[in-house]
């Protein structure tokens, strides 16, 4: 049967997540190019000319990102990973629980990349071009959609742990959150909520979380 956007978001519930450090911006084409140059990544993603190295990297699958993170962790002796969906949503909402406030028209003083449901679409922009949210994070609702760590399960919210949910143990599709520069509210509030981990397209990038490694 057909599942609506609302069905994927219920039941509303409160969870507790441990402290985490999320990147202020999406990973750029320049950083991906550095991975390729170091032979940590196999290829330059399609349609990324790197003429502007601060544009978010796109055309990278979840599987590609896994390879990139392995290289990044080796280079930096750190523990970078993708955010869980719970972490991503907490960061996007700036810690608030109020429902999303849909607006009928984009105001002239709005300097964010947020444009859900509105025409005309915004242009893809270098990281940091739009104003950040209250946590100082850029493009949580704009520029490119972002991969999350979680597998997708339409019923996960009804049985997810209340402490640090990590998503289902396995499934076939990965969670994607956010928005993109051409998104104007077609079909769904989140019209790229899931994608197979081996697929990619020109609308999806990612940002990373860094876990602190105890010494």
């Amino acid at each position: 049967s057909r599942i609506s956007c609302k069905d994927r978001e219920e039941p509303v519930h409160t969870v507790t997540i441990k402290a985490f450090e999320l990147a202020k911006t999406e990973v750029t084409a320049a950083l991906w190019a550095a991975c390729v140059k170091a032979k940590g990544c196999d290829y330059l993603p399609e349609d990324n000319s790197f003429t502007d190295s601060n544009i978010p990297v796109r055309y990278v699958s979840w599987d590609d990102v896994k390879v990139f993170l392995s290289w990044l962790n080796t280079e930096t002796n750190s523990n970078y990973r993708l955010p869980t969906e719970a972490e991503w949503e907490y960061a996007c909402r700036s810690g608030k629980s109020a429902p999303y406030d849909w607006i009928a028209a984009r105001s002239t003083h709005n300097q964010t990349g947020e444009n859900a449901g509105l025409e005309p679409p915004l242009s893809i922009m270098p990281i940091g071009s739009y104003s950040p949210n209250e946590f100082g994070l850029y493009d949580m609702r704009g520029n490119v959609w972002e991969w999350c760590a979680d597998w997708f399960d339409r019923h996960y919210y009804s049985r997810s742990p209340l402490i640090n949910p990590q998503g289902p143990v396995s499934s076939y599709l990965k969670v994607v959150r956010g928005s993109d520069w051409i998104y104007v509210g077609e079909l769904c509030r989140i019209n790229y909520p899931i994608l197979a981990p081996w697929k990619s397209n020109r609308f999806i990038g990612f940002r990373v979380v860094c876990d602190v490694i105890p010494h």
Side-chain angles (χ1 to χ4, degrees), residues 60-64 147 151 172-174 195-200:
V60 290
S61 70
W62 192 95
D63 290 338
D64 295 331
W147 287 109
W151 290 104
Y172 301 99
L173 302 169
K174 286 292 185 178
L195 196 68
W198 60 87
K199 289 191 175 182
S200 63

Side-chain angles (χ1 to χ4, degrees), residues 14-69:
T14 300
V15 301
T16 300
I17 52 179
K18 67 179 182 180
F20 62 99
E21 296 182 354
L22 183 66
K24 288 185 176 181
T25 66
E26 295 155 338
V27 170
T28 63
L31 187 53
W32 192 278
C35 182
V36 174
K37 185 176 181 180
K39 301 189 185 304
C41 302
D42 293 334
Y43 76 107
L44 294 176
E46 183 180 353
D47 196 36
N48 280 279
S49 64
F50 302 104
T51 54
D52 188 332
S53 60
N54 286 321
I55 291 288
V57 69
R58 301 170 289 146
Y59 279 105
V60 290
S61 70
W62 192 95
D63 290 338
D64 295 331
V65 173
K66 186 176 180 180
V67 173
F68 170 87
L69 290 172

